[in-house]
Amino acid sequence: MIRRVLPLLIACSIGVPSGRAAAQMVRADFPVTDGPVYVTALSGNTLYLAGAFTRVGTALGSAVPVDSGSGAALPNFPKFDGPVHAILADGAGGWYVGGEFTKAGGVSRANLARVLSNLTVASWNPGADGAVRALALSGTTVYVGGDFSNVAGQGRSRIAAVDASTGALSSWNPSAIGTAVRTLAVSGATVYAGGDFSTIGGQSRANIAALSTATGLAMAWNPSASTVVDVIVVNGPTVYAGGLFTTIGGQTRRRIAALNASDGLATSWNPNVTIGEVCAIAVSGSTVYAGGSFSTIGGQSRQNLAALNASDGLATSLIATTNGIVRVLQIQGPKLFVGGEFNSFRSEERRYLAALDTGTGLTLPWNPAANNPVHAIAVNGASVCVGGLFTTLGGQIRNRLAAVDAGTGALLPWNPDSDSEVYALVVSGGTVYVGGYFASIGGQLRSFIAAVDAVTGVPTAWDPNSNGQILSLAVANGVVYVGGSYTSIGGAARNSLAALDPATGLATAWNPGANDWVMSLLPGTGVIYAGGYFTSIGGQSRSYIAALSTSTGLATSWNPAASAHVEALAMGTSVVYAGGAFTTIGGQPRNRLAAVATGTGLATSWNPNADDIVYSMAVNGSTMYVGGSFTTMGVSGRSRVAAVDIASGATTSWNPSADGPVYSIAATGSRVYLGGEFLEVGGLPQSGVASIFPNITAVIEAPSAVETVLGPPSPNPFVQSTSIRLSLQKDAVVTLRVFDVHGRQVAVLADGSYPAGTHVFGWDGRTRAGQAAMSGVYFCELRTATASLKRKLVLVR
């Protein structure tokens, strides 16, 4: 495994600075992955990806309605930028959504939002200062439970009520003392609450309570669960509860129980889960469905999902095994929808979502295939809205290696199929060299290193056969240089660094012999620069960074002597840029990022000063793009990604902000591509990989009185290019597209979140495929949540 300490993913939001500032646009139509991307490598118009992912799909966010029959994701739903834990149909074709997000469809929303039936984000905006985990609707009131302390700016401890239409906070205030309210159910004048609390509604209540809808006070009903209650479902005179408890309602009841709605005492119904947890319950007729993490229930072996008789609690003959936790169950007629943390349902692949026919017991073909766990399901007519930690549904299988058209964002058919992580990738001519922790590529045995065709993805016969993981690759002067953690490669004994013949795969005589991992390689003039964890290499003591003669393999006199490991190297004019975990290098204090003179090995005055590890760098003109786990660059807050001026070392205003580490950066004049272990970039749900337009500037000015203004194109008619001015009164999600007179989409000029102010976009008269559009009349169409505007364009060739 890579010797990187990965930080926890922390959700964050981006502040919009006042005054005039440069802004960036994250492409909302770029694909996402279901796992980390360690390498992004550009070759022509192809972006190669390598990492630990298994699927690549369209970025959808963490809440998506899907067709209840086909399982297909329904288009144009607003994208949520963080986990969704609760979804509730609003009774008017829309949805209430709760979770841990900061934006819904690009509109600021703190953990609570409402999406209308026309798929716009409603003005409904109570806002909670912590996670929302449960929602319930009764009449004109939405009840909210979670980890929060405030709702709508007022104190509400773990539970609150808001107006279903306006979002106004109600005076209803049971005020739970504890960790969280995790589940809510309403029946008549009673709100049932479960979770992890000791006091609620002004009374001592252990983890479960009944509250008056009128006063918020706790009723006499007091089952007193021994520990956490995850789910409550009311069915007539019976209240079903599931969780981690072992006693409830005055009886021993392990993880699941039926309670009298009248007195809170446990009935004789006792499925008895001896070990595990019940997270979900659904009732249909005489059957109670239970999901969670258990292996026995109702007297039978049942893996995480079971159907129980409502009469005696015994398991029915229905067996629906999953290989992971079931978090949510939802009934719609004869269909039982299942969500959770599994990827196998009855030995069939079902990624986090599945459905079965409750009449026949058969698994339904419904298979939306999320790329991360599902925590919420709500049915609304023919739509099933699902929410969780995912960022896409469906997608295509790409095991650890993929290729994307860098211009259109389309996933290419290139599919080498690695059986384990890929940490290094380099393109040379028609060959892509890959290294990592794998044992096979494309069904062929390849130990840690392989070569595949750049077009077909088929592995070549090249087989150096390493005995340890490969972490870095470089090609220079007809030689493949390989760094990693091994003692044998290419048929020879080599310690962590070797040079291989690109035709035979055999090791050359070049043998620097590093004593620890080599993480990065950079070809120079007559030398190969190496960075990593080593303290000895090329026959010399060299702390984490060295220059090795390409002819002898010996270390040159160049010796910057870093204080800690070096993760990344990049070439500049007479300098080598180094990134890593060091705090001194080249004889100077330099925090994680430095420029070292190629002649002397001394650090120059260039000093961006990152506050945590730098994993990647890319030089693009006068700018250095930097990725890592840092949160500050220089004196500026920069979350995991930043741009630094090559001349001065000053941090620029470019600030996409990622919520997890950025491991790789590839840059061209018009785009910057990020790879990492993030779920969000620039306020958009973009997991694993992101494409950013670095050179679109936005001048933030005082907003106009009109909410959205689309200015006239200038010049118009035009020969080569035209500019279109857009003014927004408030932050908005914008799509700006060009269509021909037949309504066919020609180009996409904008598709993402934009701050209030004036933005200028240009069209160069080319299609999305890069071809010159024909002379004629075109229409530029702007769409936001509240506006749809058009302007006519005339292209003259």
Side-chain angles (χ1 to χ4, degrees):
M1 299 298 292
I2 286 187
R3 199 183 293 179
R4 292 172 175 165
V5 180
L6 306 182
L8 293 174
L9 297 181
I10 302 173
C12 60
S13 60
I14 303 171
V16 179
S18 60
R20 297 167 67 89
Q24 63 288 317
M25 188 180 86
V26 178
R27 283 189 59 174
D29 63 345
F30 212 69
V32 295
T33 62
D34 66 347
V37 172
Y38 297 129
V39 185
T40 52
L42 269 174
S43 179
N45 203 43
T46 299
L47 180 70
Y48 292 96
L49 308 177
F53 54 86
T54 58
R55 280 181 180 255
V56 181
T58 302
L60 298 175
S62 50
V64 182
V66 299
D67 187 275
S68 62
S70 68
L74 303 180
N76 303 319
F77 197 75
K79 296 178 182 179
F80 286 78
D81 69 345
V84 167
H85 302 309
I87 302 175
L88 182 67
D90 69 358
W95 315 89
Y96 295 103
V97 183
E100 297 175 80
F101 48 83
T102 60
K103 288 184 182 295
V107 179
S108 294
R109 289 291 182 269
N111 306 317
L112 273 168
R114 183 183 182 186
V115 180
L116 301 176
S117 59
N118 64 2
L119 303 184
T120 61
V121 178
S123 58
W124 191 87
N125 186 20
D129 68 348
V132 171
R133 302 191 181 278
L135 295 169
L137 175 65
S138 179
T140 61
T141 302
V142 176
Y143 295 95
V144 184
D147 305 356
F148 49 81
S149 300
N150 294 275
V151 173
Q154 298 185 46
R156 289 293 185 273
S157 181
R158 314 305 190 245
I159 188 167
V162 297
D163 188 277
S165 298
T166 66
L169 183 67
S170 165
S171 60
W172 192 82
N173 186 14
S175 189
I177 298 176
T179 302
V181 169
R182 301 178 184 277
T183 181
L184 294 168
V186 184
S187 178
T190 303
V191 176
Y192 294 94
D196 182 5
F197 51 80
S198 58
T199 300
I200 193 171
Q203 299 292 326
S204 175
R205 291 292 184 269
N207 308 307
I208 188 168
L211 309 167
S212 166
T213 57
T215 66
L217 297 177
M219 296 177 170
W221 192 83
N222 186 15
S224 188
S226 60
T227 187
V228 177
V229 173
D230 289 316
V231 58
I232 294 173
V233 173
V234 181
N235 187 45
T238 304
V239 179
Y240 293 96
L244 282 167
F245 53 81
T246 55
T247 62
I248 192 172
Q251 299 291 329
T252 297
R253 291 292 183 269
R254 297 181 181 275
R255 279 76 184 190
I256 189 168
L259 309 168
N260 291 320
S262 57
D263 57 18
L265 296 178
T267 73
S268 60
W269 193 80
N270 185 15
N272 192 34
V273 176
T274 55
I275 298 175
E277 182 176 7
V278 172
C279 306
I281 294 173
V283 182
S284 178
S286 60
T287 304
V288 178
Y289 297 93
S293 58
F294 48 78
S295 57
T296 60
I297 188 171
Q300 298 293 328
S301 174
R302 294 290 185 270
Q303 198 70 35
N304 306 321
L305 181 61
L308 309 167
N309 290 321
S311 56
D312 56 19
L314 295 179
T316 73
S317 59
L318 177 70
I319 298 177
T321 298
T322 73
N323 67 344
I325 301 172
V326 171
R327 292 287 183 190
V328 59
L329 297 170
Q330 186 67 243
I331 293 282
Q332 183 197 41
K335 296 178 182 178
L336 176 68
F337 296 102
V338 184
E341 300 174 14
F342 51 86
N343 54 39
S344 174
F345 186 85
R346 285 178 165 166
S347 300
E348 296 181 33
E349 183 181 284
R350 291 290 188 277
R351 297 174 63 82
Y352 310 111
L353 283 164
L356 60 82
D357 187 304
T358 58
T360 65
L362 297 177
T363 302
L364 296 173
W366 190 81
N367 187 17
N371 70 339
N372 271 308
V374 170
H375 288 174
I377 299 176
V379 177
N380 193 348
S383 298
V384 179
C385 198
V386 299
L389 306 181
F390 56 84
T391 55
T392 188
L393 300 178
Q396 297 185 48
I397 295 173
R398 292 292 186 273
N399 289 317
R400 292 96 187 178
L401 287 164
V404 175
D405 185 300
T408 66
L411 181 65
L412 299 176
W414 192 79
N415 186 15
D417 189 26
S418 171
D419 71 342
S420 194
E421 293 91 339
V422 177
Y423 299 134
L425 181 151
V426 65
V427 185
S428 179
T431 302
V432 179
Y433 297 97
V434 296
Y437 202 68
F438 51 82
S440 72
I441 292 281
Q444 300 294 316
L445 293 178
R446 294 291 185 272
S447 294
F448 307 105
I449 186 169
V452 298
D453 187 279
V455 177
T456 66
V458 175
T460 72
W462 194 77
D463 185 14
N465 192 31
S466 172
N467 72 343
Q469 62 186 341
I470 305 303
L471 302 172
S472 54
L473 292 164
V475 178
N477 301 317
V479 177
V480 181
Y481 294 93
V482 184
S485 174
Y486 52 81
T487 57
S488 174
I489 193 172
R494 294 289 185 272
N495 289 325
S496 300
L497 185 55
L500 306 175
D501 187 295
T504 66
L506 297 177
T508 71
W510 194 78
N511 186 14
N515 71 338
D516 209 336
W517 294 8
V518 174
M519 301 295 295
S520 55
L521 295 169
L522 176 67
T525 303
V527 296
I528 292 292
Y529 295 98
Y533 288 82
F534 53 81
T535 55
S536 174
I537 194 170
Q540 300 291 330
S541 294
R542 292 291 184 270
S543 295
Y544 312 112
I545 186 169
L548 308 163
S549 168
T550 54
S551 57
T552 66
L554 297 177
T556 71
S557 59
W558 191 79
N559 186 15
S563 62
H565 66 272
V566 171
E567 292 269 354
L569 297 168
M571 185 63 72
T573 304
S574 302
V575 297
V576 171
Y577 296 101
F582 52 82
T583 54
T584 62
I585 192 171
Q588 298 291 329
R590 293 290 184 271
N591 290 322
R592 292 103 188 171
L593 188 58
V596 180
T598 55
T600 64
L602 299 177
T604 71
S605 60
W606 193 80
N607 186 17
N609 191 30
D611 71 343
D612 209 337
I613 298 176
V614 169
Y615 291 125
S616 55
M617 297 178 292
V619 177
N620 187 19
S622 61
T623 304
M624 164 80 78
Y625 295 99
V626 186
S629 57
F630 52 82
T631 55
T632 301
M633 185 69 70
V635 296
S636 302
R638 292 293 183 267
S639 183
R640 286 87 176 193
V641 61
V644 177
D645 184 76
I646 288 290
S648 66
T651 306
T652 75
S653 59
W654 190 80
N655 184 18
S657 185
D659 70 346
V662 173
Y663 296 133
S664 179
I665 298 182
T668 66
S670 60
R671 292 183 180 90
V672 176
Y673 301 94
L674 309 182
E677 196 162 7
F678 44 77
L679 296 178
E680 174 191 330
V681 178
L684 290 178
Q686 201 67 38
S687 63
V689 62
S691 173
I692 306 171
F693 295 84
N695 297 323
I696 294 178
T697 58
V699 180
I700 299 174
E701 303 168 338
S704 65
V706 180
E707 186 171 305
T708 305
V709 176
L710 184 66
S714 179
N716 192 31
F718 70 100
V719 178
Q720 291 183 325
S721 64
T722 187
S723 295
I724 300 149
R725 190 179 182 88
L726 167 65
S727 295
L728 299 172
Q729 187 181 26
K730 60 183 180 180
D731 296 3
V733 175
V734 171
T735 58
L736 187 62
R737 297 178 292 177
V738 177
F739 295 88
D740 64 17
V741 292
H742 301 290
R744 295 173 297 199
Q745 181 175 297
V746 176
V748 178
L749 308 185
D751 188 0
S753 300
Y754 286 82
T758 300
H759 309 263
V760 180
F761 303 94
W763 185 40
D764 60 1
R766 292 186 174 274
T767 68
R768 293 187 69 184
Q771 298 173 335
M774 297 176 62
S775 296
V777 176
Y778 296 85
F779 294 93
C780 182
E781 181 189 74
L782 166 74
R783 284 188 180 273
T784 70
T786 58
S788 178
L789 304 171
K790 285 185 179 181
R791 289 284 186 177
K792 186 168 81 171
L793 301 167
V794 179
L795 174 60
V796 180
R797 293 294 188 187

Short mmCIF file of all heavy atoms in Angstrom, two decimals, residues 675-712:
data_model
loop_
_atom_site.label_atom_id
_atom_site.label_comp_id
_atom_site.label_asym_id
_atom_site.label_seq_id
_atom_site.Cartn_x
_atom_site.Cartn_y
_atom_site.Cartn_z
N GLY A 675 -6.99 14.60 -9.99
CA GLY A 675 -7.30 13.24 -9.56
C GLY A 675 -7.03 13.13 -8.08
O GLY A 675 -6.05 13.68 -7.58
N GLY A 676 -7.90 12.43 -7.34
CA GLY A 676 -7.67 12.32 -5.91
C GLY A 676 -8.73 11.52 -5.20
O GLY A 676 -9.45 10.72 -5.80
N GLU A 677 -8.83 11.78 -3.91
CA GLU A 677 -9.79 11.08 -3.06
C GLU A 677 -10.78 12.10 -2.49
O GLU A 677 -10.97 12.22 -1.29
CB GLU A 677 -9.08 10.32 -1.94
CG GLU A 677 -9.94 9.29 -1.28
CD GLU A 677 -9.16 8.26 -0.49
OE1 GLU A 677 -7.94 8.43 -0.33
OE2 GLU A 677 -9.77 7.28 -0.03
N PHE A 678 -11.39 12.84 -3.38
CA PHE A 678 -12.35 13.86 -3.00
C PHE A 678 -13.74 13.48 -3.50
O PHE A 678 -13.90 12.67 -4.41
CB PHE A 678 -11.95 15.23 -3.56
CG PHE A 678 -11.50 15.20 -5.00
CD1 PHE A 678 -12.41 15.10 -6.04
CD2 PHE A 678 -10.14 15.27 -5.32
CE1 PHE A 678 -11.99 15.08 -7.36
CE2 PHE A 678 -9.71 15.25 -6.64
CZ PHE A 678 -10.65 15.16 -7.67
N LEU A 679 -14.75 14.10 -2.89
CA LEU A 679 -16.13 13.92 -3.32
C LEU A 679 -16.68 15.19 -3.95
O LEU A 679 -17.67 15.14 -4.68
CB LEU A 679 -17.03 13.53 -2.14
CG LEU A 679 -16.74 12.19 -1.47
CD1 LEU A 679 -17.67 11.98 -0.29
CD2 LEU A 679 -16.86 11.05 -2.45
N GLU A 680 -16.03 16.33 -3.66
CA GLU A 680 -16.55 17.61 -4.13
C GLU A 680 -15.40 18.51 -4.55
O GLU A 680 -14.36 18.57 -3.90
CB GLU A 680 -17.34 18.27 -3.01
CG GLU A 680 -17.82 19.67 -3.31
CD GLU A 680 -18.35 20.37 -2.08
OE1 GLU A 680 -18.87 19.67 -1.18
OE2 GLU A 680 -18.24 21.61 -2.00
N VAL A 681 -15.59 19.20 -5.67
CA VAL A 681 -14.64 20.22 -6.12
C VAL A 681 -15.44 21.44 -6.58
O VAL A 681 -16.41 21.30 -7.33
CB VAL A 681 -13.75 19.72 -7.27
CG1 VAL A 681 -12.81 20.83 -7.74
CG2 VAL A 681 -12.94 18.50 -6.85
N GLY A 682 -15.05 22.61 -6.11
CA GLY A 682 -15.72 23.83 -6.55
C GLY A 682 -17.20 23.86 -6.25
O GLY A 682 -17.98 24.46 -6.98
N GLY A 683 -17.62 23.19 -5.16
CA GLY A 683 -19.03 23.18 -4.80
C GLY A 683 -19.87 22.21 -5.59
O GLY A 683 -21.09 22.16 -5.42
N LEU A 684 -19.25 21.39 -6.45
CA LEU A 684 -19.99 20.41 -7.23
C LEU A 684 -19.60 19.00 -6.80
O LEU A 684 -18.44 18.74 -6.43
CB LEU A 684 -19.70 20.59 -8.73
CG LEU A 684 -20.27 21.85 -9.39
CD1 LEU A 684 -19.86 21.88 -10.86
CD2 LEU A 684 -21.78 21.89 -9.26
N PRO A 685 -20.55 18.06 -6.87
CA PRO A 685 -20.26 16.67 -6.49
C PRO A 685 -19.42 16.00 -7.57
O PRO A 685 -19.95 15.39 -8.50
CB PRO A 685 -21.65 16.05 -6.36
CG PRO A 685 -22.50 16.86 -7.28
CD PRO A 685 -21.95 18.25 -7.26
N GLN A 686 -18.12 16.10 -7.46
CA GLN A 686 -17.21 15.59 -8.50
C GLN A 686 -16.21 14.67 -7.82
O GLN A 686 -15.15 15.10 -7.35
CB GLN A 686 -16.51 16.78 -9.18
CG GLN A 686 -15.94 16.46 -10.55
CD GLN A 686 -17.01 16.18 -11.59
OE1 GLN A 686 -18.05 16.81 -11.60
NE2 GLN A 686 -16.75 15.23 -12.47
N SER A 687 -16.51 13.38 -7.73
CA SER A 687 -15.69 12.45 -6.97
C SER A 687 -14.57 11.85 -7.82
O SER A 687 -14.80 11.42 -8.94
CB SER A 687 -16.55 11.32 -6.40
OG SER A 687 -17.14 10.55 -7.42
N GLY A 688 -13.38 11.84 -7.28
CA GLY A 688 -12.24 11.16 -7.90
C GLY A 688 -11.53 11.94 -8.96
O GLY A 688 -10.30 11.93 -9.03
N VAL A 689 -12.26 12.60 -9.85
CA VAL A 689 -11.64 13.31 -10.96
C VAL A 689 -12.47 14.55 -11.27
O VAL A 689 -13.69 14.56 -11.09
CB VAL A 689 -11.52 12.40 -12.21
CG1 VAL A 689 -12.88 11.96 -12.69
CG2 VAL A 689 -10.74 13.06 -13.32
N ALA A 690 -11.79 15.62 -11.69
CA ALA A 690 -12.48 16.86 -12.03
C ALA A 690 -11.75 17.59 -13.14
O ALA A 690 -10.52 17.50 -13.26
CB ALA A 690 -12.60 17.76 -10.80
N SER A 691 -12.51 18.29 -13.95
CA SER A 691 -11.97 19.13 -15.01
C SER A 691 -12.35 20.57 -14.73
O SER A 691 -13.52 20.87 -14.50
CB SER A 691 -12.53 18.69 -16.37
OG SER A 691 -12.15 19.59 -17.38
N ILE A 692 -11.35 21.45 -14.74
CA ILE A 692 -11.57 22.85 -14.37
C ILE A 692 -11.07 23.75 -15.48
O ILE A 692 -9.98 23.53 -16.03
CB ILE A 692 -10.85 23.18 -13.05
CG1 ILE A 692 -11.26 22.21 -11.95
CG2 ILE A 692 -11.13 24.62 -12.62
CD1 ILE A 692 -10.45 22.33 -10.70
N PHE A 693 -11.84 24.75 -15.81
CA PHE A 693 -11.41 25.76 -16.76
C PHE A 693 -10.69 26.86 -15.98
O PHE A 693 -11.34 27.62 -15.26
CB PHE A 693 -12.60 26.35 -17.51
CG PHE A 693 -13.33 25.36 -18.37
CD1 PHE A 693 -14.29 24.53 -17.84
CD2 PHE A 693 -13.04 25.27 -19.72
CE1 PHE A 693 -14.96 23.61 -18.64
CE2 PHE A 693 -13.71 24.36 -20.52
CZ PHE A 693 -14.67 23.53 -19.98
N PRO A 694 -9.37 26.98 -16.10
CA PRO A 694 -8.66 27.93 -15.25
C PRO A 694 -8.67 29.37 -15.75
O PRO A 694 -8.39 30.29 -15.00
CB PRO A 694 -7.23 27.38 -15.27
CG PRO A 694 -7.10 26.74 -16.61
CD PRO A 694 -8.47 26.17 -16.92
N ASN A 695 -9.00 29.58 -17.01
CA ASN A 695 -8.79 30.90 -17.60
C ASN A 695 -10.08 31.68 -17.86
O ASN A 695 -10.04 32.74 -18.49
CB ASN A 695 -8.01 30.78 -18.91
CG ASN A 695 -6.63 30.21 -18.66
OD1 ASN A 695 -6.01 30.51 -17.65
ND2 ASN A 695 -6.16 29.37 -19.56
N ILE A 696 -11.23 31.15 -17.44
CA ILE A 696 -12.48 31.91 -17.55
C ILE A 696 -12.54 32.88 -16.37
O ILE A 696 -12.56 32.45 -15.23
CB ILE A 696 -13.70 31.00 -17.55
CG1 ILE A 696 -13.71 30.13 -18.81
CG2 ILE A 696 -14.98 31.81 -17.46
CD1 ILE A 696 -14.85 29.18 -18.87
N THR A 697 -12.50 34.15 -16.65
CA THR A 697 -12.50 35.12 -15.57
C THR A 697 -13.91 35.62 -15.32
O THR A 697 -14.71 35.74 -16.22
CB THR A 697 -11.60 36.33 -15.89
OG1 THR A 697 -12.07 36.93 -17.10
CG2 THR A 697 -10.17 35.89 -16.07
N ALA A 698 -14.17 35.89 -14.08
CA ALA A 698 -15.46 36.45 -13.67
C ALA A 698 -15.20 37.70 -12.87
O ALA A 698 -14.56 37.65 -11.84
CB ALA A 698 -16.25 35.44 -12.83
N VAL A 699 -15.67 38.83 -13.33
CA VAL A 699 -15.52 40.07 -12.59
C VAL A 699 -16.74 40.21 -11.69
O VAL A 699 -17.87 40.32 -12.17
CB VAL A 699 -15.41 41.27 -13.54
CG1 VAL A 699 -15.25 42.55 -12.74
CG2 VAL A 699 -14.23 41.08 -14.47
N ILE A 700 -16.51 40.16 -10.40
CA ILE A 700 -17.62 40.20 -9.45
C ILE A 700 -17.94 41.66 -9.17
O ILE A 700 -17.15 42.39 -8.57
CB ILE A 700 -17.25 39.44 -8.17
CG1 ILE A 700 -16.96 37.98 -8.52
CG2 ILE A 700 -18.35 39.55 -7.14
CD1 ILE A 700 -16.44 37.18 -7.37
N GLU A 701 -19.10 42.10 -9.61
CA GLU A 701 -19.52 43.49 -9.47
C GLU A 701 -20.81 43.53 -8.67
O GLU A 701 -21.38 42.51 -8.31
CB GLU A 701 -19.74 44.09 -10.87
CG GLU A 701 -18.52 44.00 -11.76
CD GLU A 701 -18.84 44.33 -13.20
OE1 GLU A 701 -20.02 44.23 -13.59
OE2 GLU A 701 -17.92 44.69 -13.93
N ALA A 702 -21.28 44.73 -8.41
CA ALA A 702 -22.57 44.86 -7.72
C ALA A 702 -23.66 44.29 -8.60
O ALA A 702 -23.76 44.62 -9.78
CB ALA A 702 -22.85 46.32 -7.43
N PRO A 703 -24.48 43.38 -8.10
CA PRO A 703 -25.52 42.77 -8.92
C PRO A 703 -26.58 43.79 -9.33
O PRO A 703 -26.82 44.76 -8.65
CB PRO A 703 -26.12 41.69 -8.01
CG PRO A 703 -25.70 42.05 -6.63
CD PRO A 703 -24.44 42.83 -6.74
N SER A 704 -27.17 43.53 -10.48
CA SER A 704 -28.20 44.44 -10.99
C SER A 704 -29.52 44.19 -10.31
O SER A 704 -29.70 43.21 -9.59
CB SER A 704 -28.35 44.23 -12.50
OG SER A 704 -28.84 42.93 -12.75
N ALA A 705 -30.46 45.08 -10.53
CA ALA A 705 -31.79 44.92 -9.92
C ALA A 705 -32.54 43.75 -10.53
O ALA A 705 -33.37 43.12 -9.90
CB ALA A 705 -32.59 46.21 -10.10
N VAL A 706 -32.26 43.44 -11.81
CA VAL A 706 -32.87 42.30 -12.48
C VAL A 706 -32.09 41.05 -12.10
O VAL A 706 -30.86 41.07 -12.06
CB VAL A 706 -32.87 42.50 -14.00
CG1 VAL A 706 -33.51 41.32 -14.69
CG2 VAL A 706 -33.60 43.78 -14.36
N GLU A 707 -32.78 39.96 -11.80
CA GLU A 707 -32.11 38.78 -11.28
C GLU A 707 -31.10 38.18 -12.25
O GLU A 707 -29.99 37.83 -11.87
CB GLU A 707 -33.15 37.73 -10.91
CG GLU A 707 -32.54 36.52 -10.23
CD GLU A 707 -33.61 35.60 -9.69
OE1 GLU A 707 -34.46 36.07 -8.92
OE2 GLU A 707 -33.59 34.43 -10.04
N THR A 708 -31.46 38.04 -13.54
CA THR A 708 -30.57 37.44 -14.54
C THR A 708 -30.66 38.24 -15.83
O THR A 708 -31.75 38.46 -16.34
CB THR A 708 -30.96 35.98 -14.81
OG1 THR A 708 -30.98 35.25 -13.58
CG2 THR A 708 -29.95 35.32 -15.74
N VAL A 709 -29.50 38.64 -16.35
CA VAL A 709 -29.46 39.37 -17.61
C VAL A 709 -28.47 38.70 -18.55
O VAL A 709 -27.32 38.44 -18.18
CB VAL A 709 -29.03 40.84 -17.39
CG1 VAL A 709 -28.90 41.56 -18.72
CG2 VAL A 709 -30.04 41.56 -16.50
N LEU A 710 -28.93 38.38 -19.76
CA LEU A 710 -28.07 37.82 -20.81
C LEU A 710 -27.86 38.92 -21.85
O LEU A 710 -28.79 39.28 -22.58
CB LEU A 710 -28.70 36.59 -21.43
CG LEU A 710 -27.86 35.86 -22.48
CD1 LEU A 710 -26.61 35.26 -21.85
CD2 LEU A 710 -28.67 34.77 -23.16
N GLY A 711 -26.66 39.47 -21.87
CA GLY A 711 -26.37 40.58 -22.76
C GLY A 711 -26.27 40.15 -24.21
O GLY A 711 -26.14 38.95 -24.53
N PRO A 712 -26.30 41.12 -25.15
CA PRO A 712 -26.19 40.79 -26.57
C PRO A 712 -24.78 40.31 -26.92
O PRO A 712 -23.79 40.82 -26.37
CB PRO A 712 -26.51 42.11 -27.26
CG PRO A 712 -26.16 43.16 -26.25
CD PRO A 712 -26.46 42.56 -24.91
#
